[in-house]
Amino acid sequence: MGTSDSAEWQALAEHHREVGDRHLRDLFAEDPQRGTDLVVTAGDLYLDYSKNRLTRETVRLLAALAERVGLRERTEAMFRGEHINPTEDRAVLHVALRDPRTGGLDVDGHDVNAEVHEVLGRMADFADRVRGGAWTGHTGERIRAVVNIGIGGSDLGPAMAYLALRDYSDRSLTFRFVSNIDPTDLAEATRDLDPATTLFVVASKTFTTQETLTNAKEARRWLLEGLGGDEKAVAKHFVAVSTNAEKVSEFGIDTANMFGFWDWVGGRYSFTSAIGLSLMVAIGPEQYREMLDGFHAIDEHFRTAPYGENLPALLGLISVWYVDFFGAQSQAVLPYSQYLARFPAYLQQLCMESNGKSVTLDGSPVDVATGEIVWGEPGTNGQHAFYQLLHQGTLLVPADFIGFAQPNDLTHDRDLDSMHDLFLANFLAQPRALAFGRTAEEVAADGTAGDVVPHKVMPGNHPSNAIVAPKLTPSVLGQLVAAYEHRVFTQGVVWGINSFDQWGVELGKVMANQLAPKLQSGSAPEYDSDSSTNALVRYLREGRGR
Ligand code: F6P
């Protein structure tokens, strides 16, 4: 039976025929309580989903779909550590990474809680030593700069969160995040650093990733060149985060300086594993724990709240409503916080690597649309760039607006209140304009010339969620990320796909390895029928004088 064959799916299809064209202006006019009723809270998060093209009946039908597909049972299976990632035969237990319990969860013969807390303890000890100056470099000087080398899930989480929580970080330390194999990334990150006071955190789940290992080798060369070539320096300036002790030691990093995690942590779900080490050094173990507790609060909410009041589940179900019944292909994420500038990029991996799938768990083709293109930029910058399309374009782009009541007070000695009010006024104005628009009559009433009127009409009926919290704190960041993790899980269960593998990225990696020698040697064999790649190889080889 296909996903779309169930009675619950068919009921939604029928319901869409009835309400899909209704305008938000009318939905609000008919239901005066809408703006206060179609909201849910979870932890410190407040979700207003009233500006979506749905009714209370839609929510009921979506919740029924969630029950039908067994979202509750799948969630429990995830929390129990069952192997819900069948193509890799793995458990999916990122929720255990933030569980405050120090024992009790036995998975595949291991006390998962105990192992998590053992690593967290080692991380805290290390972070305190770096922050306090007890961890010194090869020349005896204290560490002043931490460079995280990793890519994908081994970069985006800590890089996004470091930026988000900068106001909580130790400002006497410099943090850089290097991911790209483009040699300029590492060169720019290290050009003003002193090798004697720089620490590299090499973060890779597999410790086989081409980009990370290549950057790490180059970083080691840079370090040794700067410190007179003594190999012993490596132990003082390199630590590793990985599941692969053998490869770490092969690389030349002492496994005593390795922080481990487990195959049941997916790369894009790994930021609360030891992958968060550089972030912990930045904000300190206590605030890091506050962040983990924020994650945990939403994990528990997701596990227990009924779907009509379940914030992450509602986010996921509403997105299914748009992707599958309205044909929406993208989802904008618009944080009104410059600190969250990398949040959309982080979500791109989380959402698109998880749910960019076209077969169901049993390998048969999906019969409904899956995934969505996630993109965004912080407001208000985006307003002056791409919002025009959101307001007057022909595409349906559901948007998540994220905002905070209080600003993070950067300098702690000036009043940012009125500036933040202006910021929040924009945060409120945009979803309002998107939802309600401006009619031709309203435009004409302003005295606009007749032929210009259609150009100024704002059709409205563009849906959005508003997610607000008192302030961007470590805990709130954890809550926000956990909410999106479970949103992705909800979607994946409804679509019947495996949200936890990523076979699609492998082919490109294999081809890159095949192409590298072709760029280096003029006599390398060419592909038979791919005249495009052959010509590009020739162009690039010539451009490099080969
Ligand atoms: O290319 C995909 C991927 O496997 C991601 O899922 C992962 O986060 C990233 O590569 C980095 O992998 P690793 O942590 O093993 O270096």
Side-chain angles (χ1 to χ4, degrees), residues 23-81:
H23 200 289
L24 282 164
R25 274 185 221 126
D26 301 324
L27 294 175
F28 269 84
E30 281 165 20
D31 183 353
Q33 304 302 321
R34 192 178 163 96
T36 46
D37 283 2
L38 299 195
V39 301
V40 287
T41 56
D44 297 315
L45 305 180
Y46 173 97
L47 166 68
D48 169 3
Y49 62 95
S50 65
K51 292 196 195 74
N52 281 293
R53 289 169 62 172
L54 47 72
T55 63
R56 292 163 202 258
E57 175 65 0
T58 321
V59 178
R60 198 189 63 73
L61 292 171
L62 287 168
L65 179 66
E67 300 289 357
R68 168 63 188 241
V69 297
L71 181 57
R72 189 72 67 204
E73 294 74 29
R74 297 281 296 167
T75 305
E76 286 304 324
M78 172 167 74
F79 277 74
R80 273 197 304 271

Short mmCIF file of all heavy atoms in Angstrom, two decimals, residues 23-81:
data_model
loop_
_atom_site.label_atom_id
_atom_site.label_comp_id
_atom_site.label_asym_id
_atom_site.label_seq_id
_atom_site.Cartn_x
_atom_site.Cartn_y
_atom_site.Cartn_z
N HIS A 23 -8.68 32.09 1.45
CA HIS A 23 -7.69 33.14 1.73
C HIS A 23 -7.55 33.34 3.23
O HIS A 23 -8.53 33.27 3.99
CB HIS A 23 -8.12 34.44 1.06
CG HIS A 23 -6.96 35.39 0.89
ND1 HIS A 23 -6.36 36.04 1.94
CD2 HIS A 23 -6.26 35.76 -0.23
CE1 HIS A 23 -5.36 36.80 1.48
NE2 HIS A 23 -5.27 36.64 0.16
N LEU A 24 -6.33 33.60 3.65
CA LEU A 24 -6.08 33.81 5.08
C LEU A 24 -6.90 34.97 5.64
O LEU A 24 -7.30 34.95 6.81
CB LEU A 24 -4.58 34.06 5.33
CG LEU A 24 -3.72 32.79 5.31
CD1 LEU A 24 -2.23 33.12 5.18
CD2 LEU A 24 -3.95 31.97 6.59
N ARG A 25 -7.19 35.95 4.78
CA ARG A 25 -8.04 37.07 5.23
C ARG A 25 -9.39 36.53 5.72
O ARG A 25 -9.90 36.93 6.76
CB ARG A 25 -8.32 38.02 4.05
CG ARG A 25 -7.28 39.07 3.84
CD ARG A 25 -7.74 40.01 2.72
NE ARG A 25 -6.61 40.33 1.88
CZ ARG A 25 -6.57 40.18 0.57
NH1 ARG A 25 -7.60 39.71 -0.09
NH2 ARG A 25 -5.47 40.49 -0.11
N ASP A 26 -9.96 35.60 4.93
CA ASP A 26 -11.27 35.07 5.29
C ASP A 26 -11.17 34.13 6.50
O ASP A 26 -12.04 34.14 7.38
CB ASP A 26 -11.88 34.32 4.10
CG ASP A 26 -12.00 35.25 2.90
OD1 ASP A 26 -12.30 36.45 3.12
OD2 ASP A 26 -11.75 34.81 1.76
N LEU A 27 -10.12 33.33 6.50
CA LEU A 27 -9.97 32.39 7.62
C LEU A 27 -9.86 33.15 8.94
O LEU A 27 -10.45 32.76 9.96
CB LEU A 27 -8.74 31.50 7.42
CG LEU A 27 -8.81 30.53 6.23
CD1 LEU A 27 -7.48 29.80 6.05
CD2 LEU A 27 -9.92 29.51 6.42
N PHE A 28 -9.15 34.27 8.93
CA PHE A 28 -9.02 35.06 10.15
C PHE A 28 -10.34 35.77 10.48
O PHE A 28 -10.72 35.85 11.65
CB PHE A 28 -7.88 36.08 10.03
CG PHE A 28 -6.57 35.53 10.53
CD1 PHE A 28 -5.76 34.76 9.70
CD2 PHE A 28 -6.14 35.75 11.83
CE1 PHE A 28 -4.56 34.24 10.15
CE2 PHE A 28 -4.94 35.23 12.30
CZ PHE A 28 -4.15 34.47 11.46
N ALA A 29 -11.01 36.27 9.44
CA ALA A 29 -12.26 37.01 9.69
C ALA A 29 -13.31 36.09 10.30
O ALA A 29 -14.07 36.48 11.19
CB ALA A 29 -12.76 37.61 8.39
N GLU A 30 -13.33 34.84 9.86
CA GLU A 30 -14.35 33.89 10.34
C GLU A 30 -14.07 33.34 11.72
O GLU A 30 -14.94 32.81 12.37
CB GLU A 30 -14.39 32.68 9.39
CG GLU A 30 -15.14 32.95 8.14
CD GLU A 30 -14.82 31.87 7.10
OE1 GLU A 30 -14.35 30.78 7.50
OE2 GLU A 30 -15.04 32.15 5.92
N ASP A 31 -12.83 33.40 12.13
CA ASP A 31 -12.43 32.71 13.36
C ASP A 31 -11.60 33.67 14.21
O ASP A 31 -10.37 33.67 14.17
CB ASP A 31 -11.59 31.47 12.96
CG ASP A 31 -11.19 30.63 14.16
OD1 ASP A 31 -11.43 31.07 15.30
OD2 ASP A 31 -10.61 29.55 13.94
N PRO A 32 -12.27 34.51 15.00
CA PRO A 32 -11.57 35.57 15.74
C PRO A 32 -10.53 35.04 16.74
O PRO A 32 -9.60 35.76 17.09
CB PRO A 32 -12.69 36.31 16.48
CG PRO A 32 -13.97 35.85 15.88
CD PRO A 32 -13.72 34.53 15.23
N GLN A 33 -10.67 33.79 17.17
CA GLN A 33 -9.71 33.25 18.15
C GLN A 33 -8.49 32.61 17.49
O GLN A 33 -7.61 32.08 18.16
CB GLN A 33 -10.38 32.16 19.02
CG GLN A 33 -11.62 32.58 19.74
CD GLN A 33 -11.34 33.76 20.66
OE1 GLN A 33 -10.30 33.83 21.30
NE2 GLN A 33 -12.25 34.71 20.69
N ARG A 34 -8.49 32.63 16.17
CA ARG A 34 -7.47 31.88 15.44
C ARG A 34 -6.03 32.21 15.89
O ARG A 34 -5.22 31.32 16.12
CB ARG A 34 -7.65 32.21 13.94
CG ARG A 34 -6.89 31.33 13.03
CD ARG A 34 -7.19 31.69 11.58
NE ARG A 34 -6.16 31.11 10.76
CZ ARG A 34 -6.26 29.95 10.13
NH1 ARG A 34 -7.38 29.27 10.18
NH2 ARG A 34 -5.24 29.46 9.45
N GLY A 35 -5.77 33.49 16.02
CA GLY A 35 -4.39 33.92 16.34
C GLY A 35 -3.96 33.55 17.75
O GLY A 35 -2.77 33.54 18.06
N THR A 36 -4.94 33.27 18.62
CA THR A 36 -4.54 32.85 19.98
C THR A 36 -4.72 31.35 20.18
O THR A 36 -4.12 30.77 21.07
CB THR A 36 -5.36 33.61 21.06
OG1 THR A 36 -6.74 33.58 20.68
CG2 THR A 36 -4.88 35.03 21.20
N ASP A 37 -5.55 30.75 19.32
CA ASP A 37 -5.79 29.30 19.49
C ASP A 37 -4.82 28.44 18.68
O ASP A 37 -4.43 27.36 19.14
CB ASP A 37 -7.22 28.94 19.06
CG ASP A 37 -8.23 29.34 20.12
OD1 ASP A 37 -7.80 29.91 21.14
OD2 ASP A 37 -9.43 29.08 19.92
N LEU A 38 -4.48 28.89 17.49
CA LEU A 38 -3.59 28.05 16.67
C LEU A 38 -2.14 28.35 17.05
O LEU A 38 -1.34 28.83 16.24
CB LEU A 38 -3.86 28.26 15.18
CG LEU A 38 -5.27 27.92 14.69
CD1 LEU A 38 -5.31 27.81 13.17
CD2 LEU A 38 -5.82 26.64 15.30
N VAL A 39 -1.85 28.11 18.29
CA VAL A 39 -0.49 28.30 18.82
C VAL A 39 -0.18 27.11 19.73
O VAL A 39 -1.09 26.49 20.28
CB VAL A 39 -0.35 29.61 19.64
CG1 VAL A 39 -0.68 30.82 18.82
CG2 VAL A 39 -1.18 29.57 20.91
N VAL A 40 1.08 26.79 19.83
CA VAL A 40 1.50 25.80 20.84
C VAL A 40 2.77 26.30 21.50
O VAL A 40 3.55 27.05 20.90
CB VAL A 40 1.79 24.39 20.25
CG1 VAL A 40 0.52 23.68 19.87
CG2 VAL A 40 2.76 24.42 19.11
N THR A 41 3.00 25.87 22.72
CA THR A 41 4.25 26.19 23.38
C THR A 41 4.95 24.89 23.74
O THR A 41 4.30 23.86 24.01
CB THR A 41 4.04 27.02 24.66
OG1 THR A 41 3.14 26.29 25.51
CG2 THR A 41 3.46 28.38 24.36
N ALA A 42 6.26 24.96 23.73
CA ALA A 42 7.08 23.81 24.15
C ALA A 42 8.35 24.40 24.73
O ALA A 42 9.04 25.15 24.05
CB ALA A 42 7.40 22.93 22.95
N GLY A 43 8.62 24.09 26.01
CA GLY A 43 9.77 24.72 26.65
C GLY A 43 9.60 26.23 26.57
O GLY A 43 8.56 26.78 26.92
N ASP A 44 10.62 26.91 26.05
CA ASP A 44 10.55 28.37 25.90
C ASP A 44 10.05 28.78 24.52
O ASP A 44 10.05 29.97 24.20
CB ASP A 44 11.94 28.98 26.10
CG ASP A 44 12.46 28.75 27.50
OD1 ASP A 44 11.68 28.94 28.45
OD2 ASP A 44 13.64 28.36 27.64
N LEU A 45 9.72 27.82 23.69
CA LEU A 45 9.32 28.15 22.32
C LEU A 45 7.82 28.34 22.22
O LEU A 45 7.04 27.57 22.79
CB LEU A 45 9.74 27.04 21.34
CG LEU A 45 11.22 26.64 21.32
CD1 LEU A 45 11.45 25.53 20.29
CD2 LEU A 45 12.13 27.83 21.02
N TYR A 46 7.44 29.36 21.47
CA TYR A 46 6.03 29.65 21.20
C TYR A 46 5.86 29.61 19.70
O TYR A 46 6.53 30.36 18.98
CB TYR A 46 5.73 31.04 21.76
CG TYR A 46 4.36 31.62 21.45
CD1 TYR A 46 3.31 31.53 22.37
CD2 TYR A 46 4.12 32.33 20.28
CE1 TYR A 46 2.07 32.10 22.11
CE2 TYR A 46 2.87 32.90 20.01
CZ TYR A 46 1.86 32.78 20.93
OH TYR A 46 0.63 33.35 20.68
N LEU A 47 5.03 28.68 19.23
CA LEU A 47 4.78 28.58 17.78
C LEU A 47 3.39 29.10 17.48
O LEU A 47 2.40 28.58 18.00
CB LEU A 47 4.89 27.11 17.33
CG LEU A 47 4.33 26.79 15.93
CD1 LEU A 47 5.18 27.44 14.83
CD2 LEU A 47 4.26 25.27 15.71
N ASP A 48 3.33 30.11 16.63
CA ASP A 48 2.05 30.60 16.11
C ASP A 48 1.93 30.06 14.69
O ASP A 48 2.67 30.50 13.80
CB ASP A 48 2.06 32.14 16.14
CG ASP A 48 0.87 32.73 15.38
OD1 ASP A 48 0.03 31.96 14.88
OD2 ASP A 48 0.81 33.97 15.27
N TYR A 49 1.03 29.09 14.49
CA TYR A 49 0.87 28.55 13.14
C TYR A 49 -0.44 29.00 12.51
O TYR A 49 -0.91 28.44 11.52
CB TYR A 49 1.01 27.02 13.13
CG TYR A 49 -0.02 26.25 13.93
CD1 TYR A 49 -1.16 25.75 13.31
CD2 TYR A 49 0.14 26.02 15.29
CE1 TYR A 49 -2.12 25.04 14.02
CE2 TYR A 49 -0.81 25.32 16.01
CZ TYR A 49 -1.93 24.83 15.38
OH TYR A 49 -2.87 24.14 16.09
N SER A 50 -1.00 30.08 13.07
CA SER A 50 -2.31 30.54 12.58
C SER A 50 -2.24 31.11 11.17
O SER A 50 -3.25 31.13 10.47
CB SER A 50 -2.90 31.56 13.55
OG SER A 50 -2.10 32.74 13.57
N LYS A 51 -1.07 31.60 10.76
CA LYS A 51 -1.00 32.21 9.42
C LYS A 51 -0.67 31.15 8.36
O LYS A 51 0.07 31.41 7.42
CB LYS A 51 0.04 33.34 9.40
CG LYS A 51 -0.38 34.56 10.24
CD LYS A 51 0.46 35.77 9.89
CE LYS A 51 0.36 36.89 10.90
NZ LYS A 51 1.09 36.61 12.16
N ASN A 52 -1.19 29.96 8.57
CA ASN A 52 -1.06 28.90 7.56
C ASN A 52 -2.41 28.67 6.90
O ASN A 52 -3.46 28.94 7.47
CB ASN A 52 -0.58 27.60 8.21
CG ASN A 52 0.91 27.62 8.46
OD1 ASN A 52 1.69 27.63 7.51
ND2 ASN A 52 1.30 27.66 9.73
N ARG A 53 -2.35 28.13 5.69
CA ARG A 53 -3.58 27.93 4.92
C ARG A 53 -4.23 26.61 5.36
O ARG A 53 -4.22 25.61 4.64
CB ARG A 53 -3.27 27.96 3.44
CG ARG A 53 -2.92 29.39 3.04
CD ARG A 53 -2.35 29.50 1.67
NE ARG A 53 -3.25 29.07 0.63
CZ ARG A 53 -3.00 29.23 -0.67
NH1 ARG A 53 -1.90 29.86 -1.06
NH2 ARG A 53 -3.84 28.79 -1.56
N LEU A 54 -4.74 26.66 6.56
CA LEU A 54 -5.36 25.46 7.13
C LEU A 54 -6.44 25.88 8.12
O LEU A 54 -6.51 27.05 8.52
CB LEU A 54 -4.31 24.57 7.80
CG LEU A 54 -3.27 25.18 8.74
CD1 LEU A 54 -3.87 25.62 10.07
CD2 LEU A 54 -2.16 24.17 9.01
N THR A 55 -7.22 24.90 8.52
CA THR A 55 -8.26 25.13 9.54
C THR A 55 -8.00 24.16 10.70
O THR A 55 -7.11 23.29 10.61
CB THR A 55 -9.66 24.84 8.97
OG1 THR A 55 -9.71 23.44 8.63
CG2 THR A 55 -9.94 25.68 7.73
N ARG A 56 -8.82 24.29 11.71
CA ARG A 56 -8.68 23.35 12.84
C ARG A 56 -8.90 21.91 12.36
O ARG A 56 -8.28 20.98 12.87
CB ARG A 56 -9.69 23.71 13.94
CG ARG A 56 -9.37 25.04 14.60
CD ARG A 56 -10.57 25.57 15.37
NE ARG A 56 -10.47 27.01 15.57
CZ ARG A 56 -10.09 27.59 16.72
NH1 ARG A 56 -9.82 26.86 17.77
NH2 ARG A 56 -10.00 28.91 16.81
N GLU A 57 -9.77 21.76 11.37
CA GLU A 57 -10.02 20.43 10.82
C GLU A 57 -8.75 19.88 10.14
O GLU A 57 -8.47 18.67 10.22
CB GLU A 57 -11.20 20.52 9.82
CG GLU A 57 -11.52 19.24 9.06
CD GLU A 57 -12.02 18.10 9.96
OE1 GLU A 57 -12.13 18.27 11.18
OE2 GLU A 57 -12.28 17.01 9.41
N THR A 58 -8.00 20.76 9.48
CA THR A 58 -6.76 20.29 8.84
C THR A 58 -5.83 19.69 9.90
O THR A 58 -5.24 18.63 9.68
CB THR A 58 -6.02 21.47 8.15
OG1 THR A 58 -6.95 22.33 7.53
CG2 THR A 58 -4.99 20.96 7.16
N VAL A 59 -5.75 20.38 11.01
CA VAL A 59 -4.85 19.90 12.07
C VAL A 59 -5.32 18.55 12.58
O VAL A 59 -4.52 17.63 12.80
CB VAL A 59 -4.76 20.94 13.22
CG1 VAL A 59 -3.88 20.44 14.35
CG2 VAL A 59 -4.23 22.27 12.69
N ARG A 60 -6.62 18.42 12.70
CA ARG A 60 -7.16 17.13 13.17
C ARG A 60 -6.81 16.02 12.18
O ARG A 60 -6.39 14.93 12.56
CB ARG A 60 -8.68 17.26 13.35
CG ARG A 60 -9.30 16.17 14.21
CD ARG A 60 -10.82 16.19 14.17
NE ARG A 60 -11.39 15.94 12.86
CZ ARG A 60 -11.42 14.76 12.24
NH1 ARG A 60 -10.90 13.72 12.83
NH2 ARG A 60 -11.96 14.63 11.03
N LEU A 61 -6.97 16.33 10.90
CA LEU A 61 -6.69 15.30 9.88
C LEU A 61 -5.21 14.98 9.80
O LEU A 61 -4.81 13.82 9.61
CB LEU A 61 -7.20 15.78 8.51
CG LEU A 61 -8.72 15.90 8.38
CD1 LEU A 61 -9.10 16.58 7.06
CD2 LEU A 61 -9.37 14.51 8.45
N LEU A 62 -4.37 15.99 9.97
CA LEU A 62 -2.92 15.74 9.95
C LEU A 62 -2.51 14.89 11.16
O LEU A 62 -1.67 13.98 11.04
CB LEU A 62 -2.14 17.07 9.94
CG LEU A 62 -2.16 17.84 8.62
CD1 LEU A 62 -1.62 19.26 8.81
CD2 LEU A 62 -1.34 17.13 7.53
N ALA A 63 -3.11 15.19 12.30
CA ALA A 63 -2.80 14.40 13.51
C ALA A 63 -3.25 12.94 13.30
O ALA A 63 -2.56 12.00 13.71
CB ALA A 63 -3.47 15.01 14.73
N ALA A 64 -4.39 12.77 12.64
CA ALA A 64 -4.87 11.40 12.36
C ALA A 64 -3.89 10.69 11.43
O ALA A 64 -3.63 9.49 11.58
CB ALA A 64 -6.26 11.45 11.74
N LEU A 65 -3.33 11.42 10.47
CA LEU A 65 -2.34 10.82 9.57
C LEU A 65 -1.10 10.37 10.36
O LEU A 65 -0.56 9.28 10.14
CB LEU A 65 -1.95 11.82 8.48
CG LEU A 65 -0.89 11.34 7.48
CD1 LEU A 65 -1.42 10.17 6.63
CD2 LEU A 65 -0.43 12.49 6.57
N ALA A 66 -0.69 11.24 11.30
CA ALA A 66 0.48 10.89 12.12
C ALA A 66 0.24 9.60 12.90
O ALA A 66 1.11 8.73 12.99
CB ALA A 66 0.81 12.04 13.07
N GLU A 67 -0.97 9.46 13.44
CA GLU A 67 -1.31 8.23 14.17
C GLU A 67 -1.30 7.05 13.21
O GLU A 67 -0.76 5.99 13.51
CB GLU A 67 -2.71 8.33 14.82
CG GLU A 67 -2.88 9.46 15.82
CD GLU A 67 -2.13 9.24 17.15
OE1 GLU A 67 -1.52 8.17 17.30
OE2 GLU A 67 -2.15 10.16 17.99
N ARG A 68 -1.88 7.25 12.05
CA ARG A 68 -2.01 6.16 11.08
C ARG A 68 -0.64 5.60 10.67
O ARG A 68 -0.45 4.39 10.53
CB ARG A 68 -2.78 6.68 9.86
CG ARG A 68 -2.76 5.78 8.65
CD ARG A 68 -3.45 4.45 8.99
NE ARG A 68 -3.30 3.48 7.93
CZ ARG A 68 -4.32 2.95 7.26
NH1 ARG A 68 -5.55 3.29 7.56
NH2 ARG A 68 -4.11 2.06 6.32
N VAL A 69 0.32 6.52 10.45
CA VAL A 69 1.64 6.05 9.99
C VAL A 69 2.50 5.54 11.15
O VAL A 69 3.63 5.10 10.94
CB VAL A 69 2.41 7.15 9.21
CG1 VAL A 69 1.66 7.52 7.95
CG2 VAL A 69 2.67 8.38 10.08
N GLY A 70 1.97 5.61 12.37
CA GLY A 70 2.70 5.05 13.50
C GLY A 70 3.81 5.96 14.01
O GLY A 70 4.84 5.49 14.50
N LEU A 71 3.58 7.27 13.93
CA LEU A 71 4.63 8.20 14.39
C LEU A 71 4.99 7.94 15.85
O LEU A 71 6.17 7.95 16.23
CB LEU A 71 4.15 9.65 14.20
CG LEU A 71 5.14 10.74 14.60
CD1 LEU A 71 6.48 10.61 13.87
CD2 LEU A 71 4.55 12.14 14.35
N ARG A 72 3.99 7.66 16.67
CA ARG A 72 4.25 7.42 18.10
C ARG A 72 5.15 6.19 18.27
O ARG A 72 6.15 6.23 18.99
CB ARG A 72 2.91 7.21 18.82
CG ARG A 72 2.99 7.15 20.31
CD ARG A 72 3.29 8.47 20.97
NE ARG A 72 2.22 9.45 20.84
CZ ARG A 72 2.41 10.77 20.91
NH1 ARG A 72 3.62 11.26 21.10
NH2 ARG A 72 1.41 11.61 20.78
N GLU A 73 4.81 5.11 17.58
CA GLU A 73 5.58 3.87 17.74
C GLU A 73 7.00 4.06 17.21
O GLU A 73 7.97 3.60 17.80
CB GLU A 73 4.91 2.72 16.98
CG GLU A 73 3.56 2.29 17.52
CD GLU A 73 2.44 3.27 17.19
OE1 GLU A 73 2.54 3.96 16.15
OE2 GLU A 73 1.48 3.39 17.98
N ARG A 74 7.12 4.75 16.07
CA ARG A 74 8.46 4.98 15.49
C ARG A 74 9.31 5.84 16.43
O ARG A 74 10.50 5.63 16.58
CB ARG A 74 8.36 5.68 14.12
CG ARG A 74 7.64 4.87 13.08
CD ARG A 74 8.49 3.78 12.46
NE ARG A 74 9.62 4.32 11.74
CZ ARG A 74 10.65 3.59 11.33
NH1 ARG A 74 10.69 2.29 11.60
NH2 ARG A 74 11.64 4.13 10.66
N THR A 75 8.65 6.80 17.06
CA THR A 75 9.38 7.68 17.99
C THR A 75 9.89 6.86 19.17
O THR A 75 11.06 6.96 19.57
CB THR A 75 8.45 8.81 18.50
OG1 THR A 75 7.93 9.50 17.36
CG2 THR A 75 9.20 9.79 19.37
N GLU A 76 9.01 6.03 19.72
CA GLU A 76 9.42 5.19 20.85
C GLU A 76 10.55 4.25 20.44
O GLU A 76 11.50 4.03 21.19
CB GLU A 76 8.22 4.39 21.40
CG GLU A 76 7.24 5.22 22.20
CD GLU A 76 7.89 5.96 23.38
OE1 GLU A 76 8.80 5.41 24.01
OE2 GLU A 76 7.49 7.11 23.64
N ALA A 77 10.45 3.72 19.23
CA ALA A 77 11.51 2.81 18.75
C ALA A 77 12.84 3.55 18.66
O ALA A 77 13.89 3.02 19.00
CB ALA A 77 11.11 2.23 17.39
N MET A 78 12.78 4.82 18.21
CA MET A 78 14.01 5.62 18.15
C MET A 78 14.59 5.80 19.56
O MET A 78 15.77 5.55 19.79
CB MET A 78 13.73 6.98 17.51
CG MET A 78 14.90 7.95 17.59
SD MET A 78 14.72 9.40 16.53
CE MET A 78 13.51 10.36 17.43
N PHE A 79 13.74 6.21 20.49
CA PHE A 79 14.23 6.47 21.85
C PHE A 79 14.72 5.19 22.54
O PHE A 79 15.56 5.25 23.43
CB PHE A 79 13.12 7.13 22.70
CG PHE A 79 13.02 8.62 22.52
CD1 PHE A 79 12.47 9.16 21.38
CD2 PHE A 79 13.49 9.49 23.50
CE1 PHE A 79 12.37 10.55 21.20
CE2 PHE A 79 13.40 10.88 23.34
CZ PHE A 79 12.84 11.40 22.19
N ARG A 80 14.17 4.04 22.14
CA ARG A 80 14.60 2.77 22.76
C ARG A 80 15.92 2.28 22.17
O ARG A 80 16.55 1.38 22.69
CB ARG A 80 13.55 1.68 22.53
CG ARG A 80 12.46 1.63 23.56
CD ARG A 80 11.71 0.30 23.49
NE ARG A 80 11.17 0.02 22.18
CZ ARG A 80 9.97 0.40 21.75
NH1 ARG A 80 9.18 1.08 22.56
NH2 ARG A 80 9.55 0.12 20.54
N GLY A 81 16.33 2.86 21.05
CA GLY A 81 17.59 2.42 20.43
C GLY A 81 17.42 1.27 19.46
O GLY A 81 18.38 0.57 19.15
#
